[in-house]
């Protein structure tokens, strides 16, 4: 149903105070849908397209902007609960109301009432509704500008990411999933190979002094995205998570988690091949989706994210291909990152942000693929963007970035590690289903005391 007041501006998914700041400043925090934000999870993407870690001063500035725009969670929002319920029907009504009054969406909606994860999707035919159920907690602002749960330290789910997930299901289907990669060019690989031909190290000499010249020869790396709008916060989260994973793997930043060393540390003094280069990417890591016999209750579980690897074989012309082989050491690093992912995502919020967008992609795909909206009788036109009521923040995403790569000089020559990415195959997750009789006993009580309230806690 289209709004009866089409001349009103679309809802801007932002806080009013933050919008005013973003209009006058050159950079702002992108984590909560602020006007023209530049950072995600402590990773800065500036207007010139440079991707880098935000400086302490920039993190402080971002935190100050968000602190001025945020309200302290109060009432039930200040409570920890294992079963917070979001009504998609009532949430859409709330968005329509904001649109018709010309207002702005506040932090309660922007942070999806403090939801940490969506564990259940429930079809409520009686009320023509779909319910999202999961644990929630009050949120707080970290010194680096991240907004996380007070108890768990995990990034909260975001309304703008939910909108992007719903609006990207068919695009992701067409593109074969949601993907991000940051790759060197063939020309850069050839320049680097030429550079290294003239390098002769003395026994015991540290090659670190060569890295500036090697990066210059390598040149810019290209950013590739598919499945989601490149202007979305969702897309920036993918790029930022890939960037930060590579920085940890290649010892460009210190690992914040005990037991997760860099790949370079693990590979030191090992035999390396100049024709091979390890690639890592993060992918979905879910249990089979459980459903009751009638397909009215669905349970989503599992860690959410795993790290995978294979070897890139570099040809003489700088092109690469892979035969699926895995270097044992690179595989060990990938398995260690997967094992430590929970701790890592608490220390570096960008990784929890990544799991959040993966979760939302799975939820949106499940609802669309299984036609749960039709089963419930709910029109999801607002969340799917068909009513054009909600305007999410738009960001300029760089097409390329300065090289983020490391170099290992082993007994057989140089190995360059530079490639990586993210691959979200939500359709594969949704297709992997099992029936569970236990879900027939799930009870989600409705809050019928206030027709305008779109969330509540259920026992």
């Amino acid at each position: 149903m289209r709004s009866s007041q089409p001349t009103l501006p679309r809802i801007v998914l932002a806080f009013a105070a933050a919008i005013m700041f973003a209009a006058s400043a050159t950079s702002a925090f992108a984590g909560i849908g602020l006007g023209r934000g530049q950072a995600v999870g402590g990773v800065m993407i500036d207007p010139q397209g440079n991707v880098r870690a935000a400086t302490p001063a920039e993190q402080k500035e971002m935190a100050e902007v968000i602190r001025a725009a945020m309200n302290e969670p109060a009432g039930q929002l200040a409570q920890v609960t294992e079963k917070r319920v979001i009504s998609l029907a009532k949430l859409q009504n709330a968005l329509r109301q904001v649109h018709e009054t010309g207002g702005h969406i506040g932090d309660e909606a922007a942070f999806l009432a403090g939801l940490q994860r969506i564990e259940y999707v429930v079809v409520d035919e009686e009320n023509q509704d779909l319910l999202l159920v999961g644990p929630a907690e009050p949120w707080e602002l970290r010194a680096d500008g991240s907004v996380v749960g007070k108890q768990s330290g995990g990034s909260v789910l975001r309304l703008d990411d939910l909108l992007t997930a719903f609006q990207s299901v068919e695009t992701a289907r067409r593109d074969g999933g949601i993907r991000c990669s940051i790759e060197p060019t063939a020309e850069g690989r050839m320049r680097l190979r030429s550079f290294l031909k003239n390098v002769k190290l003395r026994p015991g000499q540290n090659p670190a002094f060569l890295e500036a010249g090697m990066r210059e020869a390598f040149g810019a790396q290209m950013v590739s995205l598919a499945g989601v709008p490149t202007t979305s916060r969702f897309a920036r989260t993918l790029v930022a998570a890939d960037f930060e994973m590579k920085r940890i793997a290649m010892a460009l930043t210190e690992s914040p988690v005990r037991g997760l060393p860099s790949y370079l540390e693990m590979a030191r003094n090992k035999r390396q091949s100049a024709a091979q280069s390890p690639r890592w990417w993060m992918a979905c890591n879910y249990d089979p989706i459980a459903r009751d016999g009638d397909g009215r209750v669905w349970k989503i579980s599992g860690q959410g994210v795993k790290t995978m690897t294979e070897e890139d074989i570099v040809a003489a012309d700088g092109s690469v291909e892979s035969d699926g082989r895995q270097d044992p050491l690179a595989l060990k690093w990938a398995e260690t990152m997967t094992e430590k992912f929970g701790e890592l995502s608490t220390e570096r919020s960008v990784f929890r942000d990544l799991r959040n967008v993966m979760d939302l992609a799975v939820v949106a795909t499940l609802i669309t693929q299984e036609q749960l909206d039709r089963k419930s009788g709910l029109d999801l036109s607002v969340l799917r963007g068909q009513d054009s009521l909600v305007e999410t923040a738009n960001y300029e995403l760089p097409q390329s970035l300065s090289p983020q790569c490391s170099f290992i000089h082993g007994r057989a020559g140089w190995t360059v590690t530079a490639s990586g990415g993210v691959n979200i195959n939500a359709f594969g997750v949704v297709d992997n289903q099992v029936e569970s009789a236990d879900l027939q006993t799930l009870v989600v009580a409705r809050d019928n005391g206030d027709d305008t309230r779109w969330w509540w806690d259920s026992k």
Side-chain angles (χ1 to χ4, degrees):
M1 179 183 299
R2 295 194 175 274
S3 169
S4 60
Q5 301 184 43
T7 59
L8 287 173
R10 288 183 293 174
I11 303 167
V12 178
L13 186 55
F15 302 114
I19 291 174
M20 290 190 296
F21 174 87
S24 61
T26 57
S27 67
F29 183 74
I32 50 177
L34 304 184
R36 288 281 179 182
Q38 310 302 338
V40 176
V43 177
M44 177 67 71
I45 305 178
D46 66 25
Q48 289 71 44
N50 298 310
V51 183
R52 56 180 173 79
T55 66
E58 288 168 336
Q59 293 178 6
K60 181 179 178 182
E61 180 187 13
M62 290 182 255
E64 289 174 350
V65 173
I66 299 169
R67 187 174 291 108
M70 278 177 53
N71 295 314
E72 187 75 15
Q76 277 187 279
L77 288 175
Q79 305 300 315
V80 175
T81 177
E82 290 301 313
K83 195 184 286 187
R84 182 153 292 164
V85 184
I86 289 180
S87 159
L88 294 187
K90 290 187 175 183
L91 176 60
Q92 289 195 133
N93 289 339
L95 295 176
R96 289 191 183 98
Q97 180 66 27
V98 172
H99 168 74
E100 291 172 358
T101 58
H104 296 289
I105 295 174
D107 42 357
E108 179 178 322
F111 298 140
L112 289 175
L115 208 62
Q116 283 283 308
R117 197 158 200 198
I118 299 172
E119 294 182 339
Y120 299 95
V121 178
V122 180
V123 178
D124 183 358
E125 294 178 77
E126 181 180 352
N127 295 284
Q128 294 185 311
D129 203 354
L130 284 172
L131 308 178
L132 308 182
V133 186
E137 56 191 82
W139 54 86
E140 65 180 1
L141 181 65
R142 278 185 174 172
D144 66 356
S146 301
V147 181
V148 301
K150 283 187 176 181
Q151 176 173 275
S152 67
S155 299
V156 296
L157 293 173
R158 310 297 180 92
L159 176 59
D160 48 358
D161 291 334
L162 177 64
L163 290 164
T164 300
F166 268 116
Q167 294 167 20
S168 301
V169 173
E170 295 307 323
T171 303
R173 189 194 309 275
R174 180 197 67 205
D175 291 350
I178 298 171
R179 301 186 307 280
C180 163
S181 64
I182 304 175
E183 303 285 348
T185 65
E187 294 78 10
R189 292 189 182 97
M190 292 176 67
R191 285 194 303 267
L192 180 63
R193 178 171 292 181
S194 178
F195 176 89
L196 292 176
K197 282 182 180 179
N198 299 316
V199 172
K200 294 188 182 299
L201 293 176
R202 297 187 300 272
Q205 186 178 12
N206 188 336
F209 76 97
L210 294 169
E211 290 193 0
M214 295 168 78
R215 288 192 176 90
E216 182 179 355
F218 212 23
Q221 294 174 241
M222 309 308 294
V223 178
S224 175
L225 277 157
V228 292
T230 60
T231 56
S232 64
R233 180 188 181 276
F234 196 123
R236 289 170 76 87
T237 296
L238 303 183
V239 173
D242 181 17
F243 173 86
E244 194 66 8
M245 174 186 67
K246 289 161 71 172
R247 280 167 44 82
I248 293 173
M250 298 182 294
L252 298 173
T253 185
E254 185 177 353
S255 170
V257 174
R258 185 185 298 273
L260 178 62
S262 69
Y263 170 74
L264 265 64
E265 183 179 344
M266 294 171 63
R268 189 174 292 129
N269 298 322
K270 304 294 183 181
R271 187 172 183 85
Q272 306 295 334
S273 170
Q276 292 182 300
S277 176
R279 167 195 299 270
W280 295 279
W281 70 96
M282 289 171 286
C284 293
N285 185 25
Y286 292 88
D287 301 329
I289 292 183
R291 56 176 172 78
D292 68 355
D294 296 327
R296 287 176 171 79
V297 181
W298 302 74
K299 182 179 180 180
I300 301 168
S301 61
Q303 178 167 280
V305 185
K306 62 183 175 183
T307 305
M308 303 181 70
T309 185
E310 64 183 15
E311 287 292 305
D312 280 343
I313 311 300
V314 184
D317 63 357
S319 63
V320 295
E321 61 181 22
S322 176
D323 58 6
R325 293 183 184 180
Q326 297 174 318
D327 173 72
L329 210 56
L331 178 60
K332 182 179 179 180
W333 188 86
E335 291 174 342
T336 303
M337 182 175 173
T338 299
E339 177 187 344
K340 298 289 184 177
F341 188 83
E343 297 175 55
L344 184 61
S345 62
T346 300
E347 296 296 326
R348 297 283 169 86
S349 61
V350 67
F351 293 111
R352 177 61 72 87
D353 285 330
L354 176 64
R355 194 197 74 177
N356 286 351
V357 298
M358 283 191 177
D359 282 358
L360 294 173
V362 169
V363 168
T365 302
L366 170 66
I367 290 172
T368 303
Q369 190 86 333
E370 297 296 328
Q371 300 184 354
L372 302 186
D373 50 336
R374 294 187 181 182
K375 181 176 290 188
S376 67
L378 174 62
D379 178 3
L380 284 175
S381 57
V382 174
L383 293 178
R384 289 198 169 118
Q386 296 163 1
D387 280 351
S388 300
L389 296 184
V390 183
E391 179 181 345
T392 55
N394 287 300
Y395 311 102
E396 292 298 326
L397 194 73
Q399 301 299 308
S400 62
L401 55 90
S402 299
Q404 294 291 320
C405 47
S406 285
F407 313 90
I408 307 169
H409 188 257
R411 294 195 300 270
W414 294 89
T415 293
V416 180
T417 64
S419 299
V422 177
N423 186 356
I424 304 177
N425 180 11
F427 295 97
V429 175
V430 170
D431 286 343
N432 186 18
Q433 301 178 12
V434 295
E435 186 172 327
S436 173
D438 294 342
L439 294 179
Q440 294 176 351
T441 62
L442 179 70
V443 176
V444 179
R446 288 191 67 93
D447 179 10
N448 295 316
D450 185 351
D451 284 340
T452 65
R453 187 173 178 183
W454 51 268
W455 65 268
W456 61 89
D457 294 340
S458 179
K459 296 181 179 179

